[in-house]
Amino acid sequence: MIQLQQAADDANRKVRELQERFGPPSAGDGWTEEQHAEWQAAWDAWLEAATTARTSIPQTLEMTVKKIVRHPELATDAA
């Protein structure tokens, strides 16, 4: 479960990094087709990873797993 959430968080970071690097899609001349394709692929990967993580983790554990992944120093307390 933890690896699934880590994959979803990593994919989300990739989407945010691309958005920061490319800037707003409506600014200036907008994104090129290549930029949009790269962003869309990252978005799709994030959506798939997040869906897999969410459907694999019982709701009662979801927040605990996210907390452990995002704050590993708390893992000892949650385990």
Side-chain angles (χ1 to χ4, degrees):
M1 289 186 285
I2 290 173
Q3 288 96 352
L4 293 173
Q5 186 60 51
Q6 286 172 330
D9 287 357
D10 291 344
N12 180 260
R13 271 190 289 284
K14 174 69 175 176
V15 170
R16 289 182 301 167
E17 288 169 6
L18 290 173
Q19 289 172 328
E20 287 178 23
R21 191 171 72 204
F22 297 161
S26 60
D29 293 332
W31 291 352
T32 66
E33 288 183 33
E34 292 81 14
Q35 287 172 318
H36 183 73
E38 185 178 356
W39 177 86
Q40 187 66 53
W43 179 270
D44 292 343
W46 171 45
L47 182 60
E48 183 177 337
T51 300
T52 299
R54 189 173 49 253
T55 59
S56 298
I57 302 171
Q59 279 190 323
T60 55
L61 295 178
E62 182 177 3
M63 294 309 293
T64 300
V65 169
K66 285 182 179 181
K67 187 177 187 179
I68 290 169
V69 169
R70 294 174 184 163
H71 305 282
E73 69 279 5
L74 302 176
T76 310
D77 296 338

Coordinates of all heavy atoms in Angstrom, one line a residue:
M1 N 0.8 -1.2 0.0 CA 0.0 0.0 0.0 C 0.9 1.3 0.0 O 0.5 2.2 -0.7 CB -0.9 0.0 1.2 CG -2.1 -1.0 1.1 SD -3.3 -0.9 2.5 CE -2.3 -1.6 3.8
I2 N 1.9 1.2 0.8 CA 2.8 2.4 0.9 C 3.4 2.7 -0.5 O 3.5 3.8 -0.9 CB 3.8 2.2 2.0 CG1 3.1 2.3 3.3 CG2 4.9 3.3 1.9 CD1 4.0 2.0 4.5
Q3 N 3.9 1.7 -1.2 CA 4.5 1.9 -2.5 C 3.5 2.5 -3.5 O 3.9 3.3 -4.3 CB 5.1 0.6 -3.1 CG 6.3 0.1 -2.4 CD 6.0 -0.9 -1.3 OE1 4.9 -1.2 -1.0 NE2 7.1 -1.5 -0.7
L4 N 2.2 2.0 -3.4 CA 1.2 2.6 -4.3 C 1.0 4.1 -4.0 O 0.9 4.9 -5.0 CB -0.1 1.8 -4.1 CG -0.1 0.4 -4.6 CD1 -1.4 -0.3 -4.2 CD2 0.1 0.2 -6.1
Q5 N 1.0 4.4 -2.8 CA 0.8 5.9 -2.4 C 2.0 6.7 -2.8 O 1.9 7.8 -3.3 CB 0.4 6.0 -1.0 CG 0.1 7.5 -0.6 CD -1.1 8.0 -1.4 OE1 -2.2 7.3 -1.4 NE2 -1.0 9.2 -2.0
Q6 N 3.2 6.1 -2.6 CA 4.4 6.8 -3.0 C 4.4 7.0 -4.5 O 4.8 8.1 -5.0 CB 5.6 6.0 -2.6 CG 5.9 6.1 -1.1 CD 7.0 5.1 -0.7 OE1 7.3 4.1 -1.3 NE2 7.7 5.5 0.3
A7 N 4.0 6.1 -5.3 CA 3.9 6.2 -6.8 C 2.9 7.3 -7.2 O 3.2 8.1 -8.0 CB 3.5 4.9 -7.4
A8 N 1.8 7.4 -6.5 CA 0.8 8.4 -6.8 C 1.4 9.8 -6.4 O 1.2 10.8 -7.2 CB -0.5 8.2 -6.0
D9 N 2.1 9.9 -5.3 CA 2.7 11.2 -4.9 C 3.8 11.6 -5.8 O 3.9 12.8 -6.2 CB 3.2 11.1 -3.4 CG 2.1 11.1 -2.4 OD1 0.9 11.2 -2.8 OD2 2.4 11.0 -1.2
D10 N 4.6 10.6 -6.3 CA 5.7 10.9 -7.2 C 5.1 11.4 -8.6 O 5.6 12.4 -9.1 CB 6.5 9.7 -7.5 CG 7.4 9.3 -6.3 OD1 7.5 10.1 -5.4 OD2 7.9 8.2 -6.3
A11 N 4.0 10.8 -9.0 CA 3.4 11.2 -10.3 C 2.8 12.6 -10.1 O 2.8 13.4 -11.1 CB 2.3 10.2 -10.7
N12 N 2.2 12.9 -9.0 CA 1.7 14.2 -8.7 C 2.8 15.3 -8.8 O 2.6 16.4 -9.3 CB 0.9 14.3 -7.4 CG 0.3 15.6 -7.2 OD1 0.9 16.4 -6.4 ND2 -0.8 15.9 -7.8
R13 N 3.9 15.0 -8.2 CA 5.0 15.9 -8.2 C 5.5 16.2 -9.6 O 5.8 17.3 -10.0 CB 6.2 15.3 -7.4 CG 6.2 15.7 -5.9 CD 7.5 15.4 -5.2 NE 7.6 13.9 -5.0 CZ 7.0 13.2 -4.1 NH1 6.2 13.8 -3.3 NH2 7.3 11.9 -4.0
K14 N 5.5 15.2 -10.5 CA 5.8 15.3 -11.9 C 4.9 16.3 -12.6 O 5.3 17.2 -13.3 CB 5.8 14.0 -12.6 CG 6.1 14.1 -14.1 CD 7.5 14.5 -14.4 CE 7.7 14.4 -15.9 NZ 9.0 14.9 -16.3
V15 N 3.6 16.2 -12.3 CA 2.6 17.1 -12.9 C 2.9 18.5 -12.5 O 2.9 19.5 -13.3 CB 1.2 16.7 -12.6 CG1 0.1 17.7 -13.0 CG2 0.8 15.3 -13.2
R16 N 3.1 18.7 -11.2 CA 3.3 20.0 -10.6 C 4.6 20.6 -11.2 O 4.7 21.8 -11.5 CB 3.3 20.0 -9.1 CG 1.9 19.8 -8.5 CD 1.9 19.8 -7.0 NE 2.8 18.7 -6.6 CZ 3.2 18.6 -5.4 NH1 2.9 19.4 -4.4 NH2 4.0 17.6 -5.0
E17 N 5.7 19.8 -11.3 CA 6.9 20.3 -11.8 C 6.8 20.8 -13.3 O 7.3 21.8 -13.7 CB 8.0 19.2 -11.8 CG 8.5 18.9 -10.4 CD 9.3 17.6 -10.4 OE1 9.6 17.0 -11.4 OE2 9.7 17.2 -9.2
L18 N 6.0 20.0 -14.1 CA 5.8 20.4 -15.5 C 5.0 21.7 -15.5 O 5.3 22.6 -16.3 CB 5.0 19.3 -16.2 CG 5.8 18.1 -16.5 CD1 4.9 17.0 -17.2 CD2 7.0 18.4 -17.5
Q19 N 4.0 21.9 -14.7 CA 3.2 23.1 -14.6 C 4.0 24.3 -14.2 O 3.9 25.4 -14.8 CB 2.0 22.9 -13.7 CG 0.9 22.0 -14.2 CD -0.1 21.7 -13.2 OE1 0.1 21.6 -12.0 NE2 -1.3 21.4 -13.7
E20 N 4.9 24.1 -13.3 CA 5.8 25.2 -12.9 C 6.8 25.5 -14.0 O 7.1 26.7 -14.3 CB 6.6 24.8 -11.7 CG 5.8 24.8 -10.4 CD 6.5 24.4 -9.2 OE1 7.8 24.5 -9.2 OE2 5.9 23.9 -8.2
R21 N 7.3 24.5 -14.7 CA 8.3 24.7 -15.8 C 7.6 25.4 -17.0 O 8.2 26.3 -17.6 CB 9.0 23.4 -16.1 CG 10.2 23.6 -17.1 CD 10.9 22.3 -17.2 NE 10.2 21.5 -18.1 CZ 10.3 20.1 -18.1 NH1 11.1 19.5 -17.3 NH2 9.6 19.4 -18.9
F22 N 6.4 24.9 -17.4 CA 5.8 25.4 -18.5 C 5.0 26.7 -18.3 O 4.8 27.5 -19.2 CB 4.8 24.4 -19.1 CG 5.4 23.1 -19.5 CD1 4.6 22.0 -19.7 CD2 6.7 23.0 -19.9 CE1 5.1 20.8 -20.1 CE2 7.3 21.8 -20.3 CZ 6.4 20.6 -20.4
G23 N 4.6 27.0 -17.1 CA 3.8 28.2 -16.8 C 2.4 27.9 -17.1 O 2.0 26.8 -17.6
P24 N 1.5 28.9 -16.9 CA 0.1 28.7 -17.2 C -0.1 28.4 -18.7 O 0.5 29.0 -19.5 CB -0.5 30.0 -16.8 CG 0.4 30.7 -15.9 CD 1.8 30.2 -16.3
P25 N -1.0 27.5 -19.0 CA -1.2 27.1 -20.4 C -1.8 28.3 -21.2 O -1.7 28.3 -22.5 CB -2.2 25.9 -20.4 CG -2.7 25.9 -19.0 CD -1.8 26.6 -18.1
S26 N -2.4 29.2 -20.6 CA -3.0 30.3 -21.3 C -2.1 31.6 -21.4 O -2.5 32.6 -22.0 CB -4.4 30.7 -20.6 OG -4.1 31.1 -19.3
A27 N -0.9 31.5 -20.8 CA 0.0 32.7 -20.8 C 0.7 32.7 -22.1 O 1.1 31.7 -22.7 CB 1.0 32.5 -19.6
G28 N 0.9 33.9 -22.5 CA 1.7 34.2 -23.8 C 1.1 33.4 -24.9 O -0.1 33.5 -25.2
D29 N 1.9 32.6 -25.6 CA 1.5 31.8 -26.8 C 0.9 30.5 -26.3 O 0.6 29.7 -27.2 CB 2.6 31.6 -27.7 CG 3.0 32.9 -28.4 OD1 2.2 33.8 -28.6 OD2 4.2 33.0 -28.8
G30 N 0.9 30.2 -25.0 CA 0.4 28.9 -24.5 C 1.4 27.9 -24.7 O 2.6 28.1 -25.0
W31 N 1.0 26.7 -24.3 CA 1.9 25.5 -24.4 C 2.0 25.0 -25.9 O 1.1 25.1 -26.6 CB 1.4 24.4 -23.6 CG 1.5 24.6 -22.1 CD1 2.1 25.7 -21.4 CD2 1.0 23.8 -21.1 NE1 1.9 25.5 -20.1 CE2 1.3 24.4 -19.8 CE3 0.3 22.6 -21.1 CZ2 0.9 23.8 -18.6 CZ3 -0.1 22.0 -19.9 CH2 0.2 22.6 -18.7
T32 N 3.2 24.5 -26.2 CA 3.3 23.8 -27.5 C 2.6 22.5 -27.4 O 2.2 22.0 -26.4 CB 4.8 23.6 -27.8 OG1 5.3 22.6 -26.9 CG2 5.6 24.8 -27.8
E33 N 2.4 21.9 -28.6 CA 1.7 20.6 -28.6 C 2.6 19.6 -27.8 O 2.0 18.7 -27.2 CB 1.6 20.1 -30.1 CG 0.5 20.9 -30.8 CD 0.3 20.3 -32.2 OE1 0.4 19.1 -32.4 OE2 -0.1 21.2 -33.1
E34 N 3.9 19.7 -27.9 CA 4.8 18.7 -27.2 C 4.6 18.9 -25.7 O 4.6 17.9 -25.0 CB 6.2 18.9 -27.6 CG 6.5 18.5 -29.1 CD 6.1 19.6 -30.1 OE1 5.9 20.8 -29.7 OE2 6.1 19.2 -31.3
Q35 N 4.6 20.2 -25.3 CA 4.4 20.4 -23.8 C 3.1 19.9 -23.3 O 3.0 19.3 -22.3 CB 4.5 21.9 -23.5 CG 5.9 22.5 -23.6 CD 5.9 24.0 -23.5 OE1 5.1 24.7 -24.1 NE2 6.9 24.5 -22.8
H36 N 2.0 20.2 -24.1 CA 0.7 19.7 -23.7 C 0.7 18.1 -23.6 O 0.1 17.5 -22.7 CB -0.4 20.2 -24.6 CG -1.8 19.7 -24.2 ND1 -2.4 20.3 -23.1 CD2 -2.6 18.8 -24.6 CE1 -3.6 19.7 -22.9 NE2 -3.7 18.7 -23.8
A37 N 1.3 17.5 -24.6 CA 1.3 16.0 -24.7 C 2.1 15.5 -23.5 O 1.7 14.5 -22.8 CB 2.0 15.5 -26.0
E38 N 3.2 16.1 -23.1 CA 4.0 15.7 -22.0 C 3.2 15.9 -20.7 O 3.2 15.0 -19.8 CB 5.3 16.5 -21.9 CG 6.3 16.0 -20.8 CD 7.6 16.8 -20.8 OE1 7.8 17.6 -21.7 OE2 8.4 16.5 -19.9
W39 N 2.6 17.0 -20.5 CA 1.8 17.3 -19.4 C 0.6 16.3 -19.3 O 0.3 15.7 -18.2 CB 1.2 18.7 -19.4 CG 0.3 19.0 -18.2 CD1 0.7 19.4 -17.0 CD2 -1.1 18.8 -18.2 NE1 -0.4 19.5 -16.1 CE2 -1.5 19.1 -16.9 CE3 -2.1 18.4 -19.1 CZ2 -2.9 19.1 -16.5 CZ3 -3.4 18.4 -18.7 CH2 -3.8 18.7 -17.4
Q40 N -0.1 16.0 -20.4 CA -1.2 15.1 -20.4 C -0.8 13.7 -20.0 O -1.5 13.0 -19.3 CB -1.9 15.1 -21.8 CG -3.2 14.3 -21.8 CD -4.3 14.9 -21.0 OE1 -4.6 16.1 -21.1 NE2 -4.8 14.1 -20.1
A41 N 0.4 13.2 -20.5 CA 0.9 11.9 -20.2 C 1.2 11.8 -18.7 O 0.9 10.8 -18.0 CB 2.2 11.6 -21.0
A42 N 1.8 12.9 -18.1 CA 2.0 12.9 -16.7 C 0.7 12.9 -15.9 O 0.6 12.2 -14.9 CB 2.9 14.2 -16.3
W43 N -0.2 13.7 -16.3 CA -1.5 13.8 -15.7 C -2.2 12.4 -15.7 O -2.7 11.9 -14.7 CB -2.4 14.8 -16.4 CG -3.8 14.9 -15.8 CD1 -4.9 14.2 -16.1 CD2 -4.2 15.7 -14.7 NE1 -6.0 14.5 -15.3 CE2 -5.6 15.5 -14.5 CE3 -3.5 16.7 -13.9 CZ2 -6.3 16.2 -13.5 CZ3 -4.3 17.4 -13.0 CH2 -5.6 17.1 -12.7
D44 N -2.2 11.7 -16.8 CA -2.8 10.4 -16.9 C -2.1 9.4 -16.0 O -2.8 8.6 -15.4 CB -2.8 9.9 -18.4 CG -3.7 10.7 -19.3 OD1 -4.6 11.5 -18.8 OD2 -3.5 10.6 -20.5
A45 N -0.8 9.5 -16.0 CA 0.0 8.6 -15.1 C -0.4 8.8 -13.6 O -0.5 7.9 -12.8 CB 1.5 8.8 -15.3
W46 N -0.5 10.1 -13.3 CA -0.9 10.5 -11.9 C -2.3 9.9 -11.6 O -2.6 9.3 -10.5 CB -0.8 12.0 -11.7 CG -1.4 12.4 -10.4 CD1 -1.2 11.9 -9.1 CD2 -2.3 13.5 -10.2 NE1 -1.9 12.5 -8.2 CE2 -2.6 13.6 -8.8 CE3 -2.8 14.5 -11.0 CZ2 -3.4 14.5 -8.2 CZ3 -3.7 15.4 -10.4 CH2 -3.9 15.5 -9.1
L47 N -3.2 10.2 -12.5 CA -4.6 9.7 -12.3 C -4.7 8.2 -12.1 O -5.3 7.7 -11.2 CB -5.5 10.1 -13.5 CG -7.0 9.8 -13.4 CD1 -7.6 10.4 -12.2 CD2 -7.7 10.2 -14.6
E48 N -3.9 7.5 -12.9 CA -3.9 6.0 -12.8 C -3.3 5.6 -11.5 O -3.8 4.7 -10.8 CB -3.1 5.4 -14.0 CG -3.1 3.9 -14.0 CD -2.4 3.3 -15.2 OE1 -2.3 4.0 -16.2 OE2 -2.0 2.2 -15.1
A49 N -2.2 6.2 -11.1 CA -1.5 5.8 -9.9 C -2.4 6.1 -8.7 O -2.5 5.3 -7.7 CB -0.2 6.5 -9.8
A50 N -3.0 7.3 -8.7 CA -3.9 7.7 -7.6 C -5.1 6.8 -7.5 O -5.5 6.4 -6.4 CB -4.3 9.1 -7.7
T51 N -5.7 6.4 -8.6 CA -6.8 5.5 -8.6 C -6.4 4.1 -8.1 O -7.1 3.6 -7.3 CB -7.4 5.4 -10.0 OG1 -7.8 6.7 -10.4 CG2 -8.6 4.5 -10.0
T52 N -5.3 3.6 -8.5 CA -4.8 2.4 -8.0 C -4.6 2.4 -6.5 O -5.0 1.5 -5.8 CB -3.5 1.9 -8.8 OG1 -3.8 1.9 -10.2 CG2 -3.0 0.6 -8.3
A53 N -3.9 3.4 -6.1 CA -3.7 3.5 -4.6 C -5.0 3.6 -3.9 O -5.2 2.9 -2.9 CB -2.8 4.7 -4.3
R54 N -5.9 4.5 -4.3 CA -7.2 4.7 -3.6 C -8.0 3.4 -3.6 O -8.6 3.1 -2.6 CB -7.9 5.8 -4.3 CG -9.1 6.3 -3.5 CD -9.8 7.6 -4.1 NE -10.0 7.5 -5.5 CZ -9.3 8.2 -6.4 NH1 -8.3 9.0 -6.0 NH2 -9.6 8.1 -7.7
T55 N -8.1 2.7 -4.7 CA -8.9 1.5 -4.7 C -8.3 0.3 -4.0 O -8.9 -0.7 -3.7 CB -9.3 1.1 -6.1 OG1 -8.1 0.9 -6.9 CG2 -10.1 2.2 -6.8
S56 N -7.0 0.4 -3.8 CA -6.3 -0.7 -3.1 C -6.2 -0.6 -1.6 O -5.9 -1.5 -0.9 CB -4.8 -0.8 -3.6 OG -4.9 -1.1 -5.0
I57 N -6.5 0.6 -1.1 CA -6.4 0.9 0.3 C -7.8 1.0 0.9 O -8.5 1.9 0.5 CB -5.6 2.2 0.5 CG1 -4.2 2.0 -0.1 CG2 -5.5 2.5 2.0 CD1 -3.4 3.3 -0.1
P58 N -8.1 0.2 1.9 CA -9.4 0.5 2.6 C -9.5 1.9 3.1 O -8.5 2.4 3.6 CB -9.4 -0.5 3.7 CG -8.4 -1.6 3.3 CD -7.4 -0.9 2.5
Q59 N -10.6 2.5 3.0 CA -10.8 3.9 3.4 C -10.3 4.2 4.8 O -9.7 5.2 5.1 CB -12.2 4.4 3.3 CG -12.6 4.8 1.9 CD -13.9 5.5 1.8 OE1 -14.8 5.1 2.5 NE2 -14.0 6.4 0.9
T60 N -10.5 3.2 5.7 CA -10.0 3.4 7.1 C -8.5 3.6 7.2 O -8.0 4.1 8.2 CB -10.5 2.3 8.0 OG1 -10.1 1.1 7.5 CG2 -12.1 2.3 8.1
L61 N -7.8 3.0 6.3 CA -6.3 3.1 6.3 C -5.7 4.2 5.4 O -4.6 4.5 5.5 CB -5.7 1.7 5.9 CG -6.0 0.5 6.8 CD1 -5.4 -0.7 6.2 CD2 -5.5 0.8 8.2
E62 N -6.5 4.7 4.5 CA -6.0 5.6 3.5 C -5.3 6.8 4.1 O -4.1 7.1 3.7 CB -7.1 6.1 2.6 CG -6.7 7.1 1.5 CD -7.8 7.5 0.6 OE1 -8.9 7.2 0.8 OE2 -7.4 8.2 -0.4
M63 N -5.9 7.5 5.1 CA -5.2 8.7 5.7 C -3.9 8.3 6.4 O -3.0 9.0 6.4 CB -6.2 9.4 6.6 CG -7.4 10.0 5.8 SD -6.9 11.0 4.4 CE -6.0 12.4 5.2
T64 N -3.9 7.1 7.1 CA -2.7 6.7 7.8 C -1.6 6.4 6.8 O -0.5 6.8 7.0 CB -3.0 5.4 8.6 OG1 -4.1 5.7 9.6 CG2 -1.8 4.9 9.3
V65 N -1.9 5.8 5.7 CA -0.9 5.5 4.7 C -0.3 6.8 4.1 O 0.9 6.9 4.0 CB -1.5 4.5 3.6 CG1 -0.5 4.5 2.4 CG2 -1.7 3.2 4.2
K66 N -1.2 7.7 3.8 CA -0.8 9.0 3.2 C 0.1 9.7 4.2 O 1.1 10.3 3.9 CB -2.0 9.9 2.8 CG -2.6 9.4 1.6 CD -3.8 10.3 1.2 CE -4.4 9.9 -0.1 NZ -5.5 10.8 -0.5
K67 N -0.3 9.7 5.5 CA 0.5 10.3 6.5 C 1.9 9.7 6.6 O 2.9 10.4 6.7 CB -0.2 10.2 7.9 CG 0.4 11.0 9.0 CD -0.5 10.8 10.2 CE -0.1 11.7 11.3 NZ -0.9 11.6 12.5
I68 N 2.0 8.4 6.6 CA 3.3 7.7 6.7 C 4.2 8.0 5.5 O 5.4 8.3 5.6 CB 3.1 6.2 6.8 CG1 2.5 5.8 8.1 CG2 4.4 5.4 6.5 CD1 2.0 4.4 8.3
V69 N 3.6 8.0 4.3 CA 4.3 8.3 3.0 C 4.8 9.8 3.1 O 6.0 10.0 2.7 CB 3.5 8.0 1.8 CG1 4.1 8.6 0.5 CG2 3.2 6.6 1.7
R70 N 4.0 10.7 3.5 CA 4.3 12.1 3.4 C 5.2 12.6 4.6 O 5.8 13.6 4.5 CB 3.1 12.9 3.2 CG 2.4 12.6 1.9 CD 1.1 13.2 1.7 NE 0.6 12.8 0.4 CZ -0.7 12.9 0.1 NH1 -1.6 13.4 0.9 NH2 -1.1 12.5 -1.1
H71 N 5.1 11.8 5.7 CA 5.8 12.2 6.9 C 6.4 10.9 7.5 O 6.0 10.4 8.5 CB 4.9 12.8 7.9 CG 4.2 14.0 7.4 ND1 4.8 15.2 7.3 CD2 2.9 14.1 6.9 CE1 3.9 16.1 6.8 NE2 2.8 15.5 6.5
P72 N 7.5 10.3 6.8 CA 8.1 9.1 7.3 C 8.5 9.0 8.7 O 8.6 8.0 9.3 CB 9.2 8.8 6.3 CG 9.3 10.0 5.4 CD 8.2 10.9 5.7
E73 N 8.9 10.2 9.2 CA 9.3 10.2 10.6 C 8.2 9.8 11.6 O 8.5 9.4 12.7 CB 9.8 11.6 11.0 CG 8.8 12.7 11.1 CD 8.4 13.3 9.7 OE1 8.8 12.8 8.7 OE2 7.6 14.3 9.7
L74 N 6.9 9.8 11.1 CA 5.8 9.4 12.0 C 5.5 7.9 11.8 O 4.6 7.4 12.5 CB 4.6 10.2 11.6 CG 4.7 11.8 11.8 CD1 3.4 12.5 11.3 CD2 5.0 12.1 13.2
A75 N 6.2 7.2 10.9 CA 5.9 5.8 10.7 C 5.9 5.0 11.9 O 5.1 4.1 12.1 CB 6.8 5.3 9.6
T76 N 6.8 5.2 12.8 CA 7.0 4.4 14.0 C 5.7 4.6 14.9 O 5.2 3.6 15.4 CB 8.2 4.8 14.8 OG1 9.3 4.8 13.9 CG2 8.5 3.9 15.9
D77 N 5.2 5.8 14.9 CA 4.0 6.0 15.7 C 2.8 5.4 15.2 O 1.9 4.9 15.9 CB 3.7 7.6 15.8 CG 4.8 8.3 16.6 OD1 5.6 7.6 17.3 OD2 5.0 9.5 16.4
A78 N 2.7 5.3 13.8 CA 1.5 4.8 13.2 C 1.5 3.3 13.1 O 0.5 2.6 13.0 CB 1.3 5.3 11.8
A79 N 2.7 2.7 13.2 CA 2.8 1.2 13.1 C 2.5 0.6 14.4 O 1.7 0.3 15.0 CB 4.2 0.8 12.7

